[in-house]
Amino acid sequence: MNMGGGKSFHFAPRVPGESFKESLARHERFLADALGLKPGMVVADFGCGVGGPLLEIARYSGARIVGINSNAYQLGRARRFVDEADLSHLAEFLHCDFLNVDAPDESFDAIYDIEATCHAPDKVSIFGEVFRLLKPGACFAGYEYCLTDRFDAHDPHHLKIKADIQLGGSLLEIADQQTVDDALRSVGFEVLETRDLSIQTGPSIPWYQPLVGSGLSLASFRSSRFGRWVTHNSLKTLETLHIAPQGTVRVSETLNLCAAAMAEAGKLGIFTPMYFSHARKPE
C-alpha cells in the first residue's frame, strides 16, 4: 500500500540517493529477478491493483503478465495504464477472486504477489490456489504482511497497533512468519527462501519513512502525517460541499489510522510488509 498515491500501492526500503519511485521499481524488479522472468513466459500477478508493478515487471522482463483482481474499478484503471504505456502485448487481466481464479490447472510459468495475499482469509487457501495454477517446476515469489518476532501478544500497545492495521488495511488477521512458511509447505511447495527484506544491510531508509515524512518531495509530503492531515481536512470541505461522496471522510480516517499504526509498528520493528517468500512447485 502506497499512502502517497500513484500506480504502485506498496512499500519498499530505500538506499541513500534513491527516490521513492525508484525504490518501488527496484522492489518490483527484485521479484522478476528471483523468478527468472523472461520473454515467452506467462506469469500471474495475484491482486494486481491498478497494475503499477505489472507494468514495471512486464517492461523489465519481457514476460507476459496476467493481472488478477476482483475489483472492477481498479482493473479499469489498470487497462488504461497499460494502453497509455503501449504494453497491451505484454499484459492482460482476469476479473475474478484470487481464491478461485478463472484459469485451468498449471496455467502459469510463475506467479508473484506484492502485499496482496495478506487479504486472503487464510494462507493455506491462497497458497493452494497458487500451487494449482503453477506448472510443475515453476516458482512463486511474494511480499507478505507479517508480524515479526518482536511482536508481543501480551503487550496492549502492540495489540492496539495490530488491530489498527487490520482495520485500516481490511485484514482479517496478520500472520506471523512461521505461519506463512508452514502454509507454503502444507500445500506442497518446496520453500527455497524466506526472509524479511525490511532488515537491510548497509545504509538504508526504512520502508515506513514515507508515513512519517521527511524531505521536500511531493510523495513524501502527501504520505507524511502532516500531508495526510491536509488531505483529510480538504476532503472534509469537499464532502460538506457535496463535491466528494458521503463517506469519503470516513474512509480517509480509516486510512490515516492504518498509516499511523504502520509507522509505529515499523519503528518498533513488530511488523513488516515485505516478508519475502520464494517457493517452487515440485516437478
Side-chain angles (χ1 to χ4, degrees), residues 129-149:
E129 184 67 350
V130 170
F131 190 88
R132 177 184 75 82
L133 291 166
L134 282 172
K135 296 176 181 178
C139 288
F140 164 75
Y143 299 136
E144 183 76 39
Y145 281 12
C146 276
L147 301 172
T148 72
D149 292 342

Side-chain angles (χ1 to χ4, degrees), residues 220-277:
S220 295
F221 172 76
R222 287 185 307 184
S223 56
S224 69
R225 184 175 181 179
F226 180 64
R228 296 195 304 272
W229 180 86
V230 170
T231 300
H232 180 70
N233 282 278
S234 298
L235 289 174
K236 278 187 176 180
T237 301
L238 292 173
E239 187 171 319
T240 299
L241 295 173
H242 303 290
I243 297 172
Q246 291 298 309
T248 300
V249 171
R250 178 57 183 157
V251 171
S252 174
E253 289 171 347
T254 302
L255 290 175
N256 282 334
L257 179 73
C258 184
M262 282 187 165
E264 179 68 7
K267 291 177 185 177
L268 293 173
I270 64 173
F271 166 82
T272 176
M274 54 194 71
Y275 184 63
F276 170 67
S277 299

Side-chain angles (χ1 to χ4, degrees), residues 1 98 115-121 123 144-147 161-175 254 258 262 271-273:
M1 181 193 311
F98 65 6
E115 301 178 21
T117 57
C118 56
H119 295 283
K123 301 301 175 218
E144 183 76 39
Y145 281 12
C146 276
L147 301 172
I161 291 170
K162 178 189 174 189
D164 287 348
I165 294 174
Q166 289 175 177
L167 175 63
S170 299
L171 306 170
L172 292 176
E173 184 57 89
I174 305 173
T254 302
C258 184
M262 282 187 165
F271 166 82
T272 176

Side-chain angles (χ1 to χ4, degrees), residues 102-115:
D102 186 18
D105 295 355
E106 302 179 5
S107 290
F108 298 105
D109 298 301
I111 295 175
Y112 67 85
D113 96 279
I114 300 178
E115 301 178 21

